[in-house]
Every structure is written in C-alpha cells, then in structure tokens.
Amino acid sequence: MKVDCLPFRKTGYFSDIICDYLDEEDSLKPFYNRFPSVQNFEGQITEKAKTFPDKNREVLYDALQNQYKGFTVSKKTQENLRQLKEPITFTVVTGHQLNLFTGPLYFLYKIISTINLTKQLKEAYPKYNFVPVYWMATEDHDFDEINYFNFKGKKIQWNKDVSGAVGHLSTDGLDDVLDIFSNVIGSSNNAQRLKELFKNAYVKHKNLTGATRYLANELFADHGLVIVDGDDNGLKRLLIPYAEKDIFENIPFISVTETISQLEVLPKSYAIQVNPREINYFYLIDGVRERIVEADGRYGVNGKKISWSKEELMKELNDFPERFSPNVISRPLYQEVILPNLCYIGGGGELAYWLELKHMFGKMGVPFPILLLRNSALIITEKQDEKLNKMDLSTTDLFLKQSSFINKKIREISNIDIDFSSQKQLLENQFKEMYELAEKTDKSFLGAVRAQEVKQKKGLDNLEKRLLRAQKRKLKDQVQRMTEIQNELFPAKSLQERTLNFSELYLEMGEELIPNLVRALNPLSLEFAILTTK
C-alpha cells in the first residue's frame, strides 16, 4: 500500500477538542496524564508498575483462561495470556461494541492501532512485555446500534426483540442474516471465506459474546490479540471497593461534574460528551440492565420493583458483583483496575469523554492511562486511484464538502475565468474616487455612495455564481464523474471508515487485507492516513 498522510484538523471531520489535544494545547493539559509519545511511556510504566497488585494479575489470568475455554488460541495469544501473570507485562487496550460482523471499518483500525503500538513499545522498552487487548462491550444494551452492517450501500440487519446486555443475546436468527449476506456477496474464493467466517462465528456460537470473540480471534490471532469480557464475576470482585465509592459516596459524580465545569470555561467551547449520574452503575439480571437509583435513603432499579436499604445493597454487591454493570463513566475505571494498562486507544468521541475523567481517577487512586487517538484511514483501490489521476483530483480536495469540492474543480478546469476578483478590485478603485468626492459634500451623499458600492459588489457576486452554475451545466459529465468518485470514497458524505464494512475490501484483498493494514498504519504518527492499494 502507498501511504500518504493528512493532519486530522485538515480533514474537517474531527472535533476541536481532539485537534487541540493532538496539538498539545496548554488549556487541555490538566485533563490528561501523559501525551502519547514513545518517551512518555517510560513514566507510565513506572507509575502503573507501582500501583497494580500481583493478585489482580492472578485474577485476570484465571478469568481469561475460563473465557477462552472452547476456543482455538494461537501460540502468540497463548504466550500473551501467560505473560499477563508477570509483573513486567503491560497492556494497551481498545474497546468496541459487539457490532454485527465488526460493523464499520474502524473496528479494524482500533485493534490494529493497539497491536502496532505494542510492537513499537517492545522495540523501545525490550525488557518489558506489551499485550494488545480488545475489550468487548458485552454489557452494552444499545442493540439498535450494533444489529447491522453495511454492504455496498445496503444495510444487512438482524431484526430481533431484545432487552438487557447484548452479550447475552442468543444468536438465533443469524442464519437468516447469513442467507441474505450470501446472496449478495458472490461466489469468489474471498466471498466463500467471508461466508465461512460469518457462519462459524454467528451460527455456531450460542450468544453474541462467543460469536464476537471467535470473529476477533480469527481475524487477529496471528498478532496475539487478547480479548477481554468484563462481564465476569471474578473480575468484578476487583471492582467492589470502587463501586462502593460510586454508589454510596458519589465520588465520580462529584469529581466529573467539577471537571466539566472546568472544561466549560475554557476559551474554546468544547462540547461535553457525557454527564455523570449520582450512581454510575446499572443492575444486570435476567434480561434487564437498568440504572441503580437512590431516593430517600433507599436504593432501587429504575422502572423495576426492586429495592434495598444501604446495608442490603452492600451485601448484594459483595455477594453478586456480576450483577453490577458500569456505565460510560465507571467502565473506564473498571478497565484500569483489572488490567495492567498503559494506554487506551479510541476514537475522537471516546477520547473527548475520557478527558472528563482524570480527576475522578485521582480521587479513586487509579493511574490515568495515556490516551491515543486510533488510526483513521481512507483506502483507495487501484481502480479508484486511476479515476482520480485521469480527472487530476487530489486526495486532499476529496475531503472538502461536496459543493465546495465541485466548485473548486470547476473553477480549475473551466476555459473561462470564473473568478471576478479583478472586477471587484476595479470597482473598489472606482468607488475610492467617489468616496473622496463624497467627503467634500453632504453626509447623505456618502451614505448613498456606500449603498451603491454594496449593491454593485453583490451584483458581481451573483453574476459569478450564475457563471459558475452555467459552467457546471456545460461540464456536467465531469461534475457527475467527480461526484461519483467522491461518493464512493465518502459514502453517506462521511468518512469511509464510519460506514464501510471490512467485507467489501476483503472481497478484493482477501487475507492480505489485515497484514497490509498492519504494515501501513502507524499509531503514533497522529495523522490521518490515505492508503492506496497496488
């Protein structure tokens, strides 16, 4: 793959807070621990090593051994699992929902960023071990966000009436989805491999957690990826003291609220991503995942006839920790409690809410990880690249909004000059003489001159727009081709990675897709990648 890069800010698709974070703006420095550079990991390793108990490693290892029962595990993953017991081993983690058949393409980018960073850290710090971890969001209950994937502009969807944590969902009905997918994907060797992958993951496993573990393990086994399911009794026992501070002392609510107030008074108006609740845990049982709430000294489950006194709820937490499910505020803390983790890799929205959490981590006595924006990429096939070259289109122009993109290119290729700047300058020179004359007479005449100037400039603007529209009509074939290629590369007028499923690229590249991406993407480049296949 040919690799070009573009600053994230110049793509127009990333928020101010993320671009300012990448630029190391001083105003944001109080909201994170260490900036993601190879050198800064030395301090992060030291800090995590001092605070992560060996007993947590034992619990983590035992939980993972149990979670991987019945799965074929590569030698590289087996070695990484074993190394997690050693005090010289640390993790880099990314998390993602259990999207059907991986969902959008950036699922791959998240995990590849994680894998590649562990390799770079091993080169920089050879006396330590670094394990890439994918945290499955098995306790999420937003089924409508994960029950489909896109294939060539069509939504392939799993329709099912569900409630509770998605990881518990039975895979019944996904054989019908496989039939739909098989009918549209073709019969090439790569298509057959995709069908087998879908079948072995979703038809041969009983629940969505097992299906997703199988799929991620198959795609990334050669790279030693370790997959963690936080919906685990043993792991959640480690969370009990922190859950007590949340439920009974409201420490996360108080500290995150304070951080939000600090973010809101910064010079730039950053959008707040998440707001904390007084209690940041759900109750998870029998197809139910609902908020735990407190009223008049008693605790209950929102919308359910379940109620405890403080003492009863403390006993419930200690007896059945698996029933307490962290929300978006408490889940990052849970992750850092059970993993010897150095860095969290996520998308722009994720990192924006992580920036709200550093003060809470301090109050809880847990080191705050380094935050790294995952790799983002635009993949251009060889055929698409040929089209771009024939039309003399630069990849940077493709990131413009479509109207701006077309207007810019029409001005460039037109045999008529559509820029009226010189006429506007001539007009200004003429009115300069009129203003000099107006200064010598009544003020009302000065107003009349100014009004006439505005009118005539507006007239030139309108003429320029009409000329541009006329040239668009004249060059409609070129406009259509430019529109089509931009729509191909930016489906739904958004980044390719947010819509496209990996299966479309797999049909063309097959088993070389992931190795090619692993070779091409550099997680610490901190730039948007433009990848052209050969």
Side-chain angles (χ1 to χ4, degrees):
M1 282 185 168
K2 175 188 170 187
V3 182
D4 293 310
C5 292
L6 187 66
F8 280 104
R9 194 181 293 276
K10 288 191 176 180
T11 68
Y13 284 95
F14 292 83
S15 66
D16 284 342
I17 194 169
I18 292 304
C19 293
D20 288 349
Y21 174 67
L22 296 177
D23 290 341
E24 298 185 73
E25 289 280 345
D26 288 340
S27 62
L28 285 176
K29 288 182 178 179
F31 302 97
Y32 60 90
N33 193 6
R34 294 177 178 88
F35 190 74
S37 65
V38 169
Q39 311 88 274
N40 285 343
F41 276 91
E42 183 174 6
Q44 196 73 23
I45 290 169
T46 301
E47 184 180 8
K48 192 68 178 184
K50 288 179 179 178
T51 59
F52 194 76
D54 287 343
K55 68 178 180 64
N56 287 28
R57 291 182 181 275
E58 293 291 338
V59 173
L60 176 63
Y61 177 80
D62 290 344
L64 288 172
Q65 290 300 310
N66 187 56
Q67 290 181 18
Y68 270 97
K69 282 181 180 177
F71 290 87
T72 302
V73 181
S74 69
K75 289 183 179 180
K76 179 66 174 172
T77 298
Q78 288 177 8
E79 177 66 10
N80 282 344
L81 287 168
R82 185 192 63 76
Q83 288 179 346
L84 284 171
K85 296 176 72 173
E86 300 174 359
I88 58 169
T89 299
F90 300 91
T91 63
V92 174
V93 63
T94 192
H96 198 66
Q97 296 170 297
L98 307 190
N99 293 72
L100 187 61
F101 213 43
T102 77
L105 188 58
Y106 66 77
F107 173 84
L108 299 190
Y109 299 159
K110 276 186 165 184
I111 293 178
I112 290 169
S113 300
T114 305
I115 289 166
N116 282 347
L117 181 57
T118 60
K119 293 178 181 178
Q120 291 177 333
L121 292 177
K122 185 62 177 177
E123 290 179 8
Y125 305 99
K127 69 178 182 179
Y128 298 105
N129 302 314
F130 303 94
V131 174
V133 171
Y134 161 44
W135 180 290
M136 294 191 293
T138 57
E139 296 176 62
D140 193 10
H141 58 250
D142 294 321
F143 180 69
D144 290 342
E145 292 184 3
I146 68 160
N147 69 337
Y148 68 95
F149 63 97
N150 295 309
F151 181 78
K152 295 190 175 180
K154 296 180 180 179
K155 181 182 281 191
I156 296 179
Q157 188 164 331
W158 179 25
N159 296 309
K160 189 181 181 83
D161 291 328
V162 303
S163 62
V166 296
H168 299 175
L169 295 179
S170 165
T171 54
D172 289 347
L174 281 170
D175 50 346
D176 294 332
V177 177
L178 173 59
D179 289 341
I180 294 169
F181 187 42
S182 299
N183 288 333
V184 298
I185 202 172
S187 57
S188 67
N189 289 337
N190 289 339
Q192 294 301 327
R193 168 65 178 145
L194 285 171
K195 294 173 190 177
E196 284 299 309
L197 195 58
F198 192 102
K199 179 181 178 180
N200 290 337
Y202 294 102
V203 178
K204 294 186 177 181
H205 287 87
K206 292 182 179 180
N207 59 39
L208 197 55
T209 293
T212 305
R213 182 183 294 277
Y214 175 87
L215 181 60
N217 187 55
E218 282 292 299
L219 292 174
F220 296 103
D222 291 344
H223 303 279
L225 182 69
V226 169
I227 303 163
V228 174
D229 177 8
D231 188 8
D232 184 286
N233 177 279
L235 295 177
K236 284 189 175 177
R237 288 204 171 276
L238 300 177
L239 188 62
I240 290 173
Y242 303 94
E244 288 178 342
K245 290 180 180 179
D246 187 308
I247 295 169
F248 303 116
E249 300 177 45
N250 305 133
I251 289 175
F253 173 72
I254 295 167
S255 55
V256 176
T257 299
E258 183 179 335
T259 298
I260 288 173
S261 67
Q262 294 168 354
L263 281 166
E264 287 178 331
V265 298
L266 291 180
K268 287 191 178 180
S269 179
Y270 298 129
I272 299 304
Q273 292 294 306
V274 295
N275 287 286
R277 296 186 181 277
E278 286 82 356
I279 296 174
N280 294 285
Y281 283 82
F282 294 91
Y283 193 63
L284 180 64
I285 189 171
D286 298 333
V288 172
R289 186 178 185 248
E290 288 289 347
R291 290 187 293 115
I292 297 172
V293 294
E294 184 271 336
D296 301 323
R298 287 194 65 81
Y299 297 84
V301 179
N302 187 52
K304 303 295 178 182
K305 293 180 180 180
I306 302 174
S307 177
W308 306 275
S309 66
K310 179 179 178 180
E311 292 73 21
E312 289 168 340
L313 184 56
M314 290 185 73
K315 184 177 187 304
E316 182 79 1
L317 174 60
N318 281 271
D319 289 348
F320 305 103
E322 70 277 8
R323 296 178 181 177
F324 291 76
S325 177
N327 74 356
V328 68
I329 294 290
S330 50
R331 193 215 61 80
L333 183 78
Y334 178 31
Q335 166 193 298
E336 297 302 311
V337 166
I338 69 170
L339 295 176
N341 194 50
L342 304 175
C343 177
Y344 182 74
I345 295 179
E350 290 176 281
L351 263 56
Y353 77 70
W354 271 86
L355 291 171
E356 300 176 25
L357 305 180
K358 184 190 172 204
H359 181 45
M360 178 194 78
F361 271 73
K363 290 289 186 181
M364 291 291 206
V366 178
F368 195 64
I370 289 175
L371 303 178
L372 177 60
L373 183 65
R374 65 168 172 81
N375 281 120
S376 284
L378 171 66
I379 299 178
I380 301 173
T381 66
E382 192 171 356
K383 287 183 180 180
Q384 290 169 334
D385 190 47
E386 289 174 1
K387 290 180 184 179
L388 293 174
N389 289 331
K390 283 181 181 179
M391 289 184 276
D392 194 26
L393 299 177
S394 74
T395 51
T396 53
D397 285 344
L398 291 168
F399 285 85
L400 295 170
K401 300 300 181 187
Q402 192 157 92
S403 59
S404 300
F405 167 61
I406 298 300
N407 289 348
K408 181 177 187 293
K409 295 309 299 180
I410 289 297
R411 291 176 188 275
E412 290 177 6
I413 65 177
S414 174
N415 59 358
I416 300 174
D417 187 0
I418 310 177
D419 184 358
F420 282 13
S421 297
S422 59
Q423 289 88 341
K424 291 174 186 176
Q425 185 61 53
L426 180 62
L427 187 65
E428 287 178 3
N429 292 337
Q430 291 174 336
F431 272 92
K432 184 177 180 182
E433 296 177 7
M434 295 293 291
Y435 280 120
E436 291 174 357
L437 177 62
E439 290 290 340
K440 300 175 183 178
T441 185
D442 188 84
K443 286 185 178 180
S444 62
F445 184 64
L446 181 64
V449 172
R450 186 174 292 116
Q452 189 64 30
E453 181 187 22
V454 169
K455 181 179 179 181
Q456 292 196 29
K457 281 184 174 179
K458 187 175 181 180
L460 280 175
D461 286 338
N462 288 334
L463 286 173
E464 187 175 324
K465 290 175 183 176
R466 290 190 66 174
L467 180 57
L468 181 60
R469 288 197 296 270
Q471 284 299 94
K472 281 184 184 179
R473 288 192 294 271
K474 183 178 179 181
L475 301 170
K476 63 180 181 181
D477 290 341
Q478 290 95 320
V479 170
Q480 183 175 347
R481 289 197 297 271
M482 289 187 289
T483 301
E484 286 174 354
I485 189 65
Q486 191 186 41
N487 288 342
E488 279 182 31
L489 294 170
F490 292 80
K493 294 182 170 56
S494 184
L495 288 178
Q496 178 192 71
E497 64 186 32
R498 298 177 184 174
T499 301
L500 209 68
N501 180 260
F502 86 99
S503 57
E504 288 191 45
L505 295 169
Y506 193 96
L507 282 177
E508 180 173 337
M509 301 174 67
E511 293 186 2
E512 282 302 304
L513 172 62
I514 288 176
N516 281 340
L517 291 173
V518 169
R519 286 189 290 267
L521 296 175
N522 174 9
L524 293 176
S525 70
L526 304 181
E527 289 189 303
F528 190 97
I530 300 168
L531 311 177
T532 306
T533 64
K534 296 181 181 179

